[in-house]
Amino acid sequence: MGTNDQNPRIEDVARAAGVSVATVSRALRGLDNVATSTREKVQAAADELGYRAHPAAAKLAAGSSHTIGVAVANIAGWYCAQVVGGVEAVLAESGYEVLVVGVAGAEARRRFIADIDRMHHRVDGLVLVDIRLEHDEVERLRESELRVVTIGNSYPGLSSVRPDDISAARLAVDHLLALGHRRIALIEGMRDDPMRTEVSWRRREGYTQSLTRYGIVVDPDLLEGGDFSVIGAQEATHRLLDLIEPPTAIFAISDEMAMGARGVAVERGLNVPEDLSIVGIDDHPLAQTVALTTVRQDPPASGATAARWIVEDLQNDQCVLSTQELETELVVRSTTGLAKR
Amino acid sequence: MGTNDQNPRIEDVARAAGVSVATVSRALRGLDNVATSTREKVQAAADELGYRAHPAAAKLAAGSSHTIGVAVANIAGWYCAQVVGGVEAVLAESGYEVLVVGVAGAEARRRFIADIDRMHHRVDGLVLVDIRLEHDEVERLRESELRVVTIGNSYPGLSSVRPDDISAARLAVDHLLALGHRRIALIEGMRDDPMRTEVSWRRREGYTQSLTRYGIVVDPDLLEGGDFSVIGAQEATHRLLDLIEPPTAIFAISDEMAMGARGVAVERGLNVPEDLSIVGIDDHPLAQTVALTTVRQDPPASGATAARWIVEDLQNDQCVLSTQELETELVVRSTTGLAKR
DNA sequence: CTGAAAGCGCTTACAG
DNA sequence: CTGAAAGCGCTTACAG
């Protein structure tokens, strides 16, 4: 009612501009073999009619989906949401669509990768956020014609972007060492298998490097898995504080875990940072509300970079292999202080 | 390499099953005018070949996109991410696709709604998360053939789902009143115009109702806008605590704001809850780490409900108008306590 | 219950 | 630089 009920088709534009549909198609997509005067005529007609190509028709005819898939381990988590935000922003201005797929857990991931060929006409590219692949899955992705870039983890033969995790961890631990701490606990990834995610083992690597430089031997008692969750970190913290010789500082590899640790310390009557220093990684928006010292990273930037690579590859019909490590930055607030004595 | 490079087409399945493509199409989509034996034969052939319909072709032919759009004000925010998670979960198992569109700010929203007709062959349904529409925009959506449901706000003629905001606010304020508080501040939505979002004015309504029942007149000095952000809430809290007669309790209409308020109180040397009680709404995962008393809501449930309605409407070729208010629940932790004196 | 055929609205060689 | 025509892979009346 009011406006034309039916959307205009390419044929309507062609008629209005007095050219063929082929020319309209070329002109509107900015292909280069169109006379400038023709292009302007077509553009004017299209604007006038409010024409926009029917996406399904375009996709079918061109054999390309013009959409990028984003597979995330946990859509509702802060980190993933941030990354998706970055992807979305870039893709929106490039005219690509975003298809978000939740891939929670190993089973879902296996199915998703096994079905990757089916994705082949749904998406032209794929960004995997924080998803740990098996060897054969990497192989499978490499053989597919999809442009894929992984965020958080990296694999030979696939593009990847991630924060410089080793440096990030070293920033945190060096800060604690400089304050005089020597018993520094690490709350890392999955409790049953902390090395499962690359993020986790790279951050442990940074932790180890810093301690080693100071001539400190890593004490296995001070290594705890926090499952990247508040609850996991709380349990880990209780175990650490129950040690006969408890740590004077805790480095948690995410702010959410650091905040969980801080809460437990306070609940147990400790003063932070007088009795226990705490550092995280992320600079989560809520970190500031508890004055958490942390290492800032920029997840939207990761997403944006990944998206930009894919779009470039697609537009130039290439498939370049890129890798990037994003810088991080120590943000000192009030949960870290001088070690006692 | 290895697997067939080309995905099978419907024709391949038809040949393998010894039937026509029309029959394959019907059988695979579960239409009812297919003999059971035929259906099984077709299904077997499809499974064998690993066939899956090319989505763009199906969309073009059927004239339906089989995807649902989700327009969110702030993809990276906790609340929106939660809702999108709920939508995704339902849609995934219904075989629908999700198209996430970021609509940040009035300008983006206006463009999005103006272009809604273009969405018409991209999506069959639309869920709007926390997006405040103008009158003419509501009209426009109602006239479109899209199934739309709004989350957070509600409009005549459009389906909507949201927490019972009035009750949620009353739970929070009644709790404070029961503890003896009489000067209870409210940190609500946008500072320049707190009534802009429905969430905000409904929660203010609950606040007012509770106070009024107790015979307390609302003091305009105690009404502050926190912009739904940590920083906004921090600024608001400073203003409140600078009052000649400061509040003894603060009710912030989101946990992120409540956590911002708590941080400021602590920073200013106040004890929580001895000097100042604080309540939020959400039960954000991090609320627990500061022992925040709050009113729990379930954003994924909102998203799931919205998605379910749309899918049902689509499958039954109907367009029913539904409205639902979700229950909330008071979670008492340690940021609220008896009022002094 | 099933099949042959038209058509969904584009893009892309192919010719000119 | 432009056009006529085939074709992308499905779905859906229509007829039987």
Side-chain angles (χ1 to χ4, degrees):
Chain A
M1 244 155 254
T3 77
N4 316 8
D5 203 39
Q6 220 56 334
N7 282 315
R9 323 209 172 304
I10 195 172
E11 212 182 311
D12 302 317
V13 180
R15 199 175 306 120
V19 296
S20 72
V21 296
T23 299
V24 173
S25 175
R26 292 186 198 107
L28 258 29
R29 281 176 307 139
L31 301 191
D32 43 341
N33 40 1
V34 177
T36 311
S37 61
T38 307
R39 188 188 305 282
E40 285 165 354
K41 216 165 45 180
V42 171
Q43 192 58 259
D47 289 348
E48 168 72 23
L49 293 170
Y51 170 78
R52 203 154 302 184
H54 183 129
K59 287 169 187 171
L60 179 57
S64 127
S65 67
H66 224 72
T67 107
I68 308 295
V70 185
V72 295
N74 172 21
I75 317 183
W78 174 77
Y79 178 78
C80 286
Q82 291 285 309
V83 172
V84 171
V87 170
E88 210 274 338
V90 167
L91 258 30
E93 69 185 26
S94 309
Y96 278 77
E97 287 173 17
V98 186
L99 180 64
V100 176
V101 187
V103 181
E107 184 42 46
R109 189 200 66 228
R110 227 180 297 283
R111 262 207 316 278
F112 176 73
I113 302 290
D115 269 18
I116 205 67
D117 287 337
R118 311 302 155 45
M119 292 297 277
H120 193 238
H121 25 228
R122 292 178 178 258
V123 299
D124 299 331
L126 191 59
V127 4
L128 299 172
V129 186
D130 250 7
I131 291 177
R132 178 77 200 163
L133 301 169
E134 307 278 333
H135 255 73
D136 55 318
E137 295 171 332
V138 174
E139 189 65 19
R140 201 169 169 68
L141 287 177
R142 235 174 2 221
E143 282 177 357
S144 87
E145 282 182 41
L146 292 175
R147 309 303 202 273
V148 0
V149 9
T150 62
I151 294 185
N153 299 290
S154 62
Y155 308 94
L158 294 180
S159 292
S160 69
V161 36
R162 58 153 183 248
D164 184 345
D165 290 305
I166 295 181
S167 300
R170 297 196 49 173
L171 284 175
V173 178
D174 285 345
H175 170 62
L176 293 171
L177 288 165
L179 288 170
H181 293 278
R182 293 302 175 262
R183 276 191 77 68
I184 301 173
L186 175 69
I187 299 184
E188 47 189 353
M190 296 307 143
R191 194 176 175 205
D192 52 353
D193 178 11
M195 305 310 257
R196 193 160 83 215
T197 68
E198 198 173 325
V199 173
S200 191
W201 66 255
R202 290 179 71 85
R203 291 180 185 174
R204 184 200 279 193
E205 175 61 24
Y207 164 86
T208 306
Q209 284 183 12
S210 284
L211 291 185
T212 306
R213 284 231 180 158
Y214 257 72
I216 300 173
V217 179
V218 172
D219 179 350
D221 281 354
L222 297 181
L223 266 27
E224 277 286 353
D227 291 342
F228 286 111
S229 72
V230 170
I231 290 192
Q234 290 171 328
E235 293 170 355
T237 305
H238 277 300
R239 289 191 297 270
L240 289 168
L241 297 179
D242 286 340
L243 288 176
I244 294 170
E245 201 182 344
T248 64
I250 292 180
F251 164 41
I253 67 169
S254 80
D255 278 357
E256 296 185 63
M257 293 201 292
M259 290 178 73
R262 196 206 65 97
V264 166
V266 169
E267 185 188 313
R268 289 175 65 130
L270 297 181
N271 289 317
V272 176
E274 292 78 7
D275 301 322
L276 183 71
S277 284
I278 295 173
V279 204
I281 289 189
D282 278 341
D283 199 20
H284 188 290
L286 288 171
Q288 191 224 113
T289 69
V290 294
L292 182 71
T293 295
T294 188
V295 178
R296 179 180 297 152
Q297 66 159 319
D298 185 1
S302 299
T305 300
R308 218 168 280 124
W309 285 348
I310 292 179
V311 169
E312 273 169 21
D313 266 19
L314 254 21
Q315 287 177 342
N316 304 327
D317 198 25
Q318 62 194 16
C319 190
V320 338
L321 191 65
S322 316
T323 299
Q324 187 169 316
E325 291 203 324
L326 270 34
E327 279 191 22
T328 59
E329 173 195 1
L330 180 69
V331 180
V332 178
R333 289 197 276 245
S334 311
T335 55
T336 46
L338 289 173
K340 277 194 199 160
R341 162 165 9 152
Chain B
M1 244 159 248
T3 76
N4 316 7
D5 204 39
Q6 221 54 335
N7 282 313
R9 321 210 174 303
I10 195 170
E11 211 182 311
D12 302 317
V13 180
R15 199 174 308 120
V19 297
S20 71
V21 296
T23 298
V24 173
S25 175
R26 291 186 199 109
L28 259 27
R29 282 176 305 139
L31 302 192
D32 43 342
N33 39 1
V34 177
T36 310
S37 62
T38 308
R39 186 187 306 282
E40 285 164 355
K41 216 166 41 181
V42 172
Q43 193 57 260
D47 289 348
E48 168 72 24
L49 294 170
Y51 170 78
R52 204 153 303 182
H54 183 129
K59 288 169 187 171
L60 179 57
S64 127
S65 67
H66 224 71
T67 109
I68 307 296
V70 184
V72 296
N74 172 22
I75 317 183
W78 174 77
Y79 178 77
C80 285
Q82 291 285 308
V83 172
V84 171
V87 170
E88 211 273 340
V90 167
L91 258 30
E93 70 184 25
S94 311
Y96 279 77
E97 287 171 17
V98 186
L99 180 64
V100 176
V101 188
V103 181
E107 184 42 47
R109 190 200 66 228
R110 226 180 297 284
R111 262 207 317 277
F112 176 74
I113 302 290
D115 269 18
I116 206 66
D117 287 338
R118 312 300 156 47
M119 293 296 278
H120 194 238
H121 25 227
R122 292 180 177 258
V123 299
D124 299 332
L126 192 59
V127 3
L128 299 172
V129 186
D130 250 6
I131 291 178
R132 178 76 201 165
L133 300 168
E134 307 277 333
H135 255 74
D136 56 320
E137 295 172 331
V138 175
E139 188 66 18
R140 198 165 171 69
L141 286 178
R142 235 173 2 218
E143 281 177 358
S144 88
E145 282 182 39
L146 291 175
R147 307 306 202 275
V148 1
V149 9
T150 62
I151 294 184
N153 299 290
S154 62
Y155 308 94
L158 293 181
S159 292
S160 68
V161 36
R162 59 157 183 245
D164 184 344
D165 290 306
I166 295 182
S167 300
R170 297 196 51 172
L171 284 174
V173 178
D174 285 345
H175 170 60
L176 292 171
L177 288 165
L179 289 169
H181 294 278
R182 293 300 176 264
R183 277 192 76 66
I184 300 173
L186 175 69
I187 300 184
E188 48 189 353
M190 297 306 143
R191 191 172 178 208
D192 53 351
D193 177 12
M195 304 311 256
R196 193 159 85 214
T197 67
E198 198 174 325
V199 173
S200 190
W201 67 253
R202 289 179 72 84
R203 290 179 186 175
R204 184 199 279 194
E205 175 61 24
Y207 165 86
T208 306
Q209 283 183 14
S210 282
L211 291 185
T212 306
R213 284 231 181 159
Y214 256 71
I216 300 173
V217 178
V218 172
D219 178 349
D221 282 352
L222 297 182
L223 266 26
E224 278 286 354
D227 291 342
F228 286 111
S229 72
V230 169
I231 291 192
Q234 289 171 328
E235 292 170 356
T237 304
H238 278 299
R239 289 191 296 271
L240 289 168
L241 297 180
D242 285 339
L243 288 175
I244 294 173
E245 200 180 346
T248 64
I250 293 181
F251 165 41
I253 68 170
S254 81
D255 278 357
E256 296 185 65
M257 293 200 292
M259 289 177 75
R262 196 206 66 96
V264 166
V266 170
E267 183 189 316
R268 290 175 64 131
L270 297 181
N271 290 315
V272 176
E274 293 76 7
D275 302 322
L276 184 69
S277 283
I278 296 173
V279 205
I281 288 187
D282 278 340
D283 200 18
H284 187 291
L286 288 172
Q288 190 223 117
T289 70
V290 294
L292 182 70
T293 294
T294 187
V295 178
R296 178 180 298 152
Q297 65 159 321
D298 185 0
S302 300
T305 299
R308 217 168 280 125
W309 285 348
I310 293 180
V311 169
E312 273 170 21
D313 265 19
L314 253 21
Q315 286 177 342
N316 303 327
D317 197 27
Q318 61 195 16
C319 191
V320 337
L321 191 64
S322 316
T323 300
Q324 187 170 315
E325 291 203 325
L326 268 34
E327 278 192 21
T328 59
E329 174 195 0
L330 180 69
V331 180
V332 178
R333 288 197 276 245
S334 312
T335 56
T336 46
L338 288 173
K340 280 194 198 159
R341 162 169 11 148

